[in-house]
Amino acid sequence: MGESTLRDVAELAGVSPRTVSNVVNGYARVTDATRSKVEHAIAVLGYRPNVLARNLATGRSGQIVVVVPYLDTPYFAELLQTIIPTARKAGYNVLVDQTDGDRDHEVELIGRGPRRFLFDGMIISPLGLSQEDLSLRDPTLPLVVLGERPSDGTFDHVGIDDVAAATEAVRHLISIGRRRIAAIGDQPYPTGEAAQLRTRGFRAAHTAASLPVDESLIISTTRFNRADGATAMAALLDRPDPPDAVFCYSDLVASGAIHTALQRRLRVPEDIAVIGYDDIEDGRYGRPTISTISPDKKAIAQLAVERLIMRIGSTEPVLGVELRAAHRLIPRESTLRDAP
């Protein structure tokens, strides 16, 4: 007995070959009842679509790729938890690529490299790419950018207002009576836009409260991780005039900073208050729980997938847009001892 064909599936399911094709490719709307019949027939017959032939005929792979700098960063893992099911519901498989922030690797992915045929479009959170690199990408690649690389009009950018969010975080520290506030996470180089926007917010909150900014309390880090947070906090606490609060540019940085403070037998938040950024799950269950800025990760992921699929399906050039997701301040024990 030979391999089952698409026509065999159609006959068993009692539908047209076109309907089977629509179910397999996820292109057209199909009722749940019809989809169930087709999927049952596929399972009974053991039908396996000829993916290579389909790709050649349609020019589509049915896959998108999500490119992030680090998979061990909880923020990106949590984004993927929404991106993957959202894309799957639209009929797309999701490939994931980790770049480690390597510019050459990121440039290769957005160019006309040999792997371009593997995916129909890309969602990328770049770390090494410059704005110029993005402008020189493959113009046929449907692209949505996360993070802080503004759209040049040819791709979509999805993010939150980092300046406003950082301002709100520091305003919270000021509201609880802290006046000597440090910042951990600045990245004063061309591809450190996200960190620089948070530093702008840090300064803006001081200006609004008529407080001077002590430049020596703004500590740079190469990554937003626990180790960098712990090292930076140690340097701050070794000063003769340590801060009474710290704004950390990620919850991982905050976690490392709190670890060092507790090792030094300081009380958090009584002796030093700490606020993070990203609202990762770990921050909700440590002791103390970490006050944070919570971006609407679900909205970011859904907007990114929806815009990418729209771009993939469009036969005309699509003007790039700037899309802003919401954020909110969540006070917890690291700034308010009696916080819920």
Side-chain angles (χ1 to χ4, degrees):
M1 186 176 180
E3 286 192 6
S4 298
T5 66
L6 182 143
R7 189 169 295 278
D8 295 331
V9 174
E11 289 178 359
L12 181 59
V15 299
S16 69
R18 174 61 67 101
T19 299
V20 175
S21 179
N22 286 338
V23 171
V24 170
N25 293 306
Y27 291 155
R29 292 184 178 178
V30 179
T31 66
D32 290 341
T34 299
R35 185 180 300 278
S36 294
K37 287 196 297 183
V38 172
E39 290 175 346
H40 176 72
I42 288 172
V44 169
L45 296 172
Y47 171 64
R48 299 176 61 185
N50 188 330
V51 176
L52 180 58
R54 182 190 69 189
N55 292 354
L56 290 172
T58 64
R60 303 265 184 90
S61 68
Q63 300 186 132
I64 64 172
V65 62
V66 180
V67 181
V68 297
Y70 306 111
L71 285 170
D72 64 354
T73 299
Y75 175 78
F76 295 117
E78 292 178 13
L79 270 183
L80 286 166
Q81 289 293 323
T82 298
I83 289 175
I84 290 172
T86 303
R88 185 181 295 142
K89 194 171 182 179
Y92 283 86
N93 293 319
V94 177
L95 306 175
V96 179
D97 199 313
Q98 172 176 294
T99 67
D100 296 309
D102 180 72
R103 175 184 173 273
D104 291 341
H105 186 56
E106 292 180 353
V107 166
E108 178 189 349
L109 285 170
I110 64 170
R112 295 180 180 271
R115 291 195 287 175
R116 172 66 181 86
F117 74 96
L118 293 175
F119 46 85
D120 298 329
M122 177 186 297
I123 297 171
I124 183 170
S125 182
L127 197 58
L129 289 179
S130 67
Q131 202 69 36
E132 181 181 7
D133 292 329
L134 281 167
S135 70
L136 298 175
R137 68 185 177 85
D138 176 1
T140 68
L141 171 65
L143 182 67
V144 175
V145 175
L146 308 180
E148 296 310 323
R149 302 291 191 282
S151 172
D152 62 2
T154 64
F155 60 83
D156 297 320
H157 171 242
V158 183
I160 68 169
D161 187 335
D162 268 305
V163 176
T167 301
E168 194 169 346
V170 178
R171 188 186 301 132
H172 170 64
L173 295 174
I174 294 170
S175 74
I176 60 172
R178 307 306 164 111
R179 292 297 180 267
R180 187 164 173 74
I181 304 171
I184 300 178
D186 189 37
Q187 296 175 343
Y189 42 80
T191 57
E193 289 98 332
Q196 292 164 26
L197 291 173
R198 293 171 200 184
T199 301
R200 279 177 52 191
F202 174 81
R203 296 181 189 281
H206 281 75
T207 299
S210 299
L211 292 175
V213 174
D214 185 338
E215 298 295 331
S216 69
L217 293 180
I218 301 176
I219 309 298
S220 299
T221 63
T222 55
R223 284 188 59 181
F224 292 168
N225 62 19
R226 294 181 183 89
D228 284 347
T231 300
M233 180 64 104
L236 289 168
L237 296 179
D238 285 340
R239 298 169 55 106
D241 52 351
D244 60 6
V246 182
F247 167 44
C248 296
Y249 290 17
S250 80
D251 284 353
L252 288 182
V253 171
S255 177
I258 290 170
H259 176 77
T260 294
L262 296 178
Q263 279 194 322
R264 300 287 185 95
R265 299 187 181 281
L266 295 176
R267 298 169 301 161
V268 179
E270 290 87 351
D271 299 320
I272 186 165
V274 178
I275 189 168
Y277 204 102
D278 290 340
D279 189 24
I280 63 173
E281 186 178 25
D282 286 357
R284 302 168 212 158
Y285 294 99
R287 281 293 178 266
T289 54
I290 299 175
S291 298
T292 191
I293 291 294
S294 177
D296 190 340
K297 291 188 280 286
K298 185 174 182 179
I300 291 171
Q302 290 178 335
L303 282 170
V305 173
E306 288 168 5
R307 288 295 299 183
L308 184 63
I309 291 174
M310 183 272 292
R311 285 185 165 277
I312 292 170
S314 177
T315 57
E316 300 291 334
V318 179
L319 185 65
V321 296
E322 291 283 340
L323 297 168
R324 284 275 181 262
H327 69 270
R328 63 191 178 104
L329 169 72
I330 302 180
R332 295 193 181 115
E333 294 169 346
S334 67
T335 59
L336 300 174
R337 172 51 65 187
D338 295 326

